[in-house]
């Protein structure tokens, strides 16, 4: 099985722009989660989607949004980019998102905001 | 912050030695997981220990869990240069509905050949 695929791998944007990141989960996985990783704040949960519905959301401003399609692929969007949004954005998938399921992570999208 | 803490923040050892890293967390948990990350890439799942388990083994990895102290440790035996990476513990809250992970701060392990 192919792993979790994230595109693009690197992205450079300027303040005020918006960006869309894409994630294709492992085939058959229906739960997709997003995490932000920065040197200062570490790894933080953004949101989780299952069957096209957001089931869980982290403590991030409304500029961060996401969605999931019927084939379980997911996108996250960040509008009005700020310098502090520079980070590695990681997508992870699991079968059903149950408590005891491990997560499979993609390689991430490295976003730099100038 | 709900984030857990790990210590040490960084660890340097020689190949063949054992590496031990510790994790403390704040909430009651359903399970605790350990992940490895190489050079800022994606995380790889290593092991999951449930809240009613005290010890678990997987190959050269040994994980212990003490829920009374809200702490866990990861032992890597007979380390190899390829074990060089950052290691993160992550907890799943037992009151949650999904496997949302709360990560620790991580331990950077360097294994010298």
């Amino acid at each position: 099985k192919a792993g979790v695929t994230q595109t693009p791998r690197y992205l450079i944007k300027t303040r005020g722009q918006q960006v869309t990141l894409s994630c294709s989960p492992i085939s058959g996985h229906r739960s997709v989660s997003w995490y932000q990783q920065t040197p200062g704040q570490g790894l933080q949960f953004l949101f989780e989607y299952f069957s096209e519905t957001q089931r869980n959301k982290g403590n991030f401003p409304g500029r961060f949004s996401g969605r999931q399609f019927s084939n379980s692929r997911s996108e996250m969007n960040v509008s009005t980019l700020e310098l502090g949004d520079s980070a590695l954005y990681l997508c992870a998938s699991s079968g059903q998102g149950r408590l005891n399921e491990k997560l499979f992570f993609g390689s991430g999208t490295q976003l730099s905001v100038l | 912050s709900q984030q857990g803490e790990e210590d040490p923040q960084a660890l340097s050892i020689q190949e063949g030695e054992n590496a031990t890293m510790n994790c403390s967390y704040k909430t009651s948990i359903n399970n605790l997981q350990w992940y490895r990350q190489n050079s800022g890439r994606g995380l790889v799942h290593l092991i999951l220990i449930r809240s009613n388990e005290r010890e678990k083994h997987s190959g050269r990895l040994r994980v212990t869990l003490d829920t009374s102290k809200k702490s866990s440790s990861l032992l890597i035996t007979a380390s190899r240069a390829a074990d060089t990476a950052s290691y993160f513990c992550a907890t799943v809250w037992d009151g949650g509905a999904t496997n949302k992970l709360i990560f620790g701060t991580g331990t950077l392990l360097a294994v010298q050949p």
Side-chain angles (χ1 to χ4, degrees):
Chain A
K1 274 186 181 178
V4 177
T5 304
Q6 290 188 248
T7 56
R9 182 71 182 94
Y10 300 96
L11 209 45
I12 299 175
K13 293 286 187 178
T14 56
R15 275 182 301 176
Q17 288 187 312
Q18 68 99 26
V19 67
T20 299
L21 312 181
S22 180
C23 172
S24 292
I26 289 173
S27 178
H29 284 188
R30 295 173 64 192
S31 170
V32 175
S33 302
W34 289 88
Y35 290 82
Q36 180 198 64
Q37 185 176 26
T38 60
Q41 299 299 316
L43 282 152
Q44 293 190 296
F45 172 80
L46 280 156
F47 26 65
E48 186 254 359
Y49 286 88
F50 180 84
S51 290
E52 302 178 67
T53 300
Q54 185 182 88
R55 292 197 300 190
N56 213 339
K57 189 178 191 305
N59 189 24
F60 279 82
R63 299 185 298 106
F64 291 81
S65 63
R67 59 178 176 169
Q68 186 182 34
F69 302 94
S70 58
N71 61 358
S72 293
R73 191 177 71 84
S74 177
E75 289 181 346
M76 69 162 280
N77 184 278
V78 187
S79 62
T80 321
L81 284 166
E82 300 177 359
L83 296 178
D85 297 333
S86 295
L88 179 66
Y89 290 88
L90 293 162
C91 167
S93 74
S94 64
Q96 307 288 326
R98 296 195 184 106
L99 297 186
N100 279 323
E101 286 181 348
K102 64 183 183 182
L103 271 67
F104 294 83
F105 283 82
S107 296
T109 293
Q110 184 68 55
L111 171 65
S112 297
V113 182
L114 306 178
Chain B
S1 166
Q2 289 183 304
Q3 190 175 40
E5 290 187 9
E6 292 180 59
D7 81 273
Q9 287 188 327
L11 180 61
S12 181
I13 60 174
Q14 297 294 125
E15 224 171 11
E17 293 180 336
N18 295 342
T20 299
M21 45 206 95
N22 305 294
C23 163
S24 62
Y25 57 90
K26 298 180 181 179
T27 67
S28 59
I29 62 171
N30 177 280
N31 65 79
L32 184 144
Q33 304 176 33
W34 285 88
Y35 287 82
R36 184 186 74 221
Q37 184 178 40
N38 289 86
S39 301
R41 310 260 322 168
L43 288 90
V44 174
H45 181 268
L46 296 176
I47 198 164
L48 181 155
I49 185 166
R50 300 178 188 223
S51 61
N52 61 354
E53 297 175 311
R54 291 297 166 258
E55 188 170 312
K56 203 161 183 180
H57 296 255
S58 175
R60 294 184 297 113
L61 306 180
R62 172 179 167 251
V63 168
T64 61
L65 178 65
D66 186 336
T67 53
S68 67
K69 294 181 179 177
K70 289 189 167 57
S71 67
S72 173
S73 67
L74 171 68
L75 168 68
I76 304 174
T77 59
S79 62
R80 306 165 181 168
D83 294 330
T84 294
S86 291
Y87 291 81
F88 295 90
C89 68
T91 54
V92 176
W93 179 46
D94 67 357
T98 71
N99 55 358
K100 166 186 168 182
L101 295 175
I102 299 172
F103 282 93
T105 48
T107 293
L108 177 60
L109 173 65
V111 182
Q112 311 297 333

